[in-house]
Amino acid sequence: MSTNITNPNRPLRLPEPLPHIAALAPYQQGKSASTGKVEPIKLSSNECCFGPSPAAIEAYRAIAEQLHRYPDGSQWQLREAIADEYGIDANRIVCGNGSEEVIGLLIRCYVGLGDELLLPENHFVMCSIYGEGQGADIVLAPERDHAIDIDEILSRVSDKTRMIAIASPNNPTGTYVPRDELLRLIDIVPSDVIILLDGAYAQYVSAADYDAGFDWADERDNVFVTHTFSKIYGLAGLRIGWGYGPAAIVETVNRLRTPFNANAPALAAATAAVKDRQFVERVKEHTHRWQLRIRDELGQLGIHVVPSEANFYLLHFERL
Ligand SMILES: *Cc1c(COP(=O)(O)O)cnc(C)c1O
């Protein structure tokens, strides 16, 4: 075919993606195979060292006979189980295909072409991908000693800022933002700027001045919290996470969410996992004990270990 039939004057061209989609860099997966090593241990995804809770595996198996059914689009059982465990309102929880989907929905609902998404220099990479996919400008705030610096973030808030996303503990640094600093940010930032607090590693934290932000998500109109089952709960392969925030934001996210975004085995396994408090305690205690030992022993080798409250360390090998 050498002309367009409906309009012969229209040049023959290839389908073209939107310019800000075409500009996206392809997502870099962590390597999961290594030549010469029979069973390499992959550390880059911060997965759970104990696997999933046995109760979650049992719930996953039990639902095999029910796979002809659509999942519960209201996600009610899982939302109730999360609400019970975290002492929060089940009506303001929304679950997704990993917390990355919830984060993506939030960004797609509130950040558009020409808006600014403000992120610390180290951030969950999906935040910038979703933001760029919206045609938004990503504004990066430098960190200080591998920790998020609230003053650097505040100094970059502009009239175009629509959202600030902070992971605490952050990836890949493992550092967290103390409660007082987060509160200072929330108090100063304009009330129409959403503050996303990504608590993917919240359950690992033992620092007394840490705050996952549920109270702010109750009291403020612009604070939204996300959590995942991929890390301490050991369900990364199932893709299930959740968000919690003001009713108006949750309601908005639910408009864009497809009803079956969280699949039935994921909902079932996560419901069992969140109730298995003992399992989570065991993983947390084990991780904390080894965290201290690894820090001390690597420190003795002269490797600089960035203080971490999560289940991983950022290391600097320059002095070796
Ligand atoms: C692992 C991780 C998540 C979790 O993503 P899921 O989509 O729930 O698997 C979110 N934020 C950060 C910073 C992470 O490291």
Side-chain angles (χ1 to χ4, degrees):
M1 206 171 27
S2 56
T3 54
N4 279 310
I5 291 172
T6 55
N7 178 1
N9 296 325
R10 182 170 169 153
L12 279 171
R13 277 192 300 237
L14 289 173
E16 267 197 37
L18 298 173
H20 47 272
I21 305 288
L24 286 176
Y27 185 79
Q28 292 283 342
Q29 293 282 353
K31 264 200 194 169
S32 44
S34 170
T35 45
K37 297 272 183 295
V38 183
E39 283 183 61
I41 300 173
K42 183 186 179 190
L43 297 175
S44 64
S45 295
N46 311 328
E47 291 147 335
C48 181
C49 57
F50 285 118
S53 134
I57 297 174
E58 199 182 309
Y60 176 80
R61 290 210 172 106
I63 206 163
E65 309 287 326
Q66 296 297 316
L67 291 181
H68 59 299
R69 302 275 183 213
Y70 277 98
D72 168 21
S74 78
Q75 313 170 330
W76 181 246
Q77 272 195 326
L78 177 55
R79 288 196 288 119
E80 268 212 318
I82 293 169
D84 268 3
E85 175 59 24
Y86 289 88
I88 56 180
D89 179 359
N91 293 311
R92 291 192 285 114
I93 296 171
V94 52
C95 306
N97 187 47
S99 55
E100 75 183 14
E101 189 202 12
V102 180
I103 293 169
L105 288 169
L106 187 73
I107 292 173
R108 286 163 62 201
C109 287
Y110 287 94
V111 185
L113 193 65
D115 289 339
E116 288 177 3
L117 173 60
L118 178 44
L119 305 171
E121 149 192 356
N122 286 299
H123 53 265
F124 186 42
V125 68
M126 289 314 298
C127 286
S128 46
I129 293 177
Y130 281 121
E132 287 167 13
Q134 292 295 101
D137 292 320
I138 310 297
V139 178
L140 295 180
E143 293 169 9
R144 185 196 298 258
D145 298 334
H146 302 290
I148 291 173
D149 185 321
I150 295 302
D151 287 315
E152 295 287 359
I153 290 184
L154 282 171
S155 70
R156 285 166 179 78
V157 174
S158 82
D159 287 346
K160 290 185 175 173
T161 311
R162 289 288 162 269
M163 192 182 297
I164 301 169
I166 287 180
S168 176
N170 198 9
N171 180 0
T173 55
T175 55
Y176 71 104
V177 184
R179 179 193 297 122
D180 290 353
E181 280 294 279
L182 274 183
L183 185 56
R184 191 160 71 84
L185 175 78
I186 293 167
D187 278 340
I188 297 176
V189 160
S191 57
D192 60 335
V193 174
I194 292 181
I195 298 174
L196 166 61
L197 301 177
D198 176 351
Y201 303 97
Q203 293 85 0
Y204 286 107
V205 180
S206 44
D209 60 349
Y210 177 74
D211 197 321
F214 293 121
D215 287 345
W216 299 318
D218 284 335
E219 294 157 10
R220 311 288 178 129
D221 295 323
N222 61 335
V223 178
F224 191 89
V225 175
T226 54
H227 276 250
T228 183
F229 284 96
S230 300
K231 303 292 154 62
I232 206 164
Y233 293 102
L235 294 174
L238 274 183
R239 311 308 303 127
I240 182 87
W242 53 280
Y244 181 70
I249 297 182
V250 172
E251 199 249 347
T252 304
V253 166
N254 271 320
R255 289 185 202 194
L256 192 60
R257 175 177 78 85
T258 56
F260 307 126
N261 65 327
N263 70 72
L267 290 171
T271 303
V274 78
K275 292 177 180 170
D276 192 351
R277 199 175 287 178
Q278 259 189 327
F279 176 84
V280 173
E281 273 309 311
R282 195 168 134 244
V283 180
K284 178 178 173 177
E285 188 275 327
H286 172 93
T287 306
H288 188 65
R289 198 151 30 90
W290 280 90
Q291 204 177 41
L292 301 179
R293 180 155 175 208
I294 288 168
R295 181 198 63 191
D296 291 348
E297 298 206 1
L298 290 180
Q300 279 168 23
L301 293 174
I303 297 169
H304 176 58
V305 184
V306 177
S308 171
E309 286 285 330
N311 62 335
F312 56 85
Y313 274 120
L314 176 66
L315 308 176
H316 292 287
F317 292 93
E318 71 257 358
R319 277 199 254 143
L320 283 184

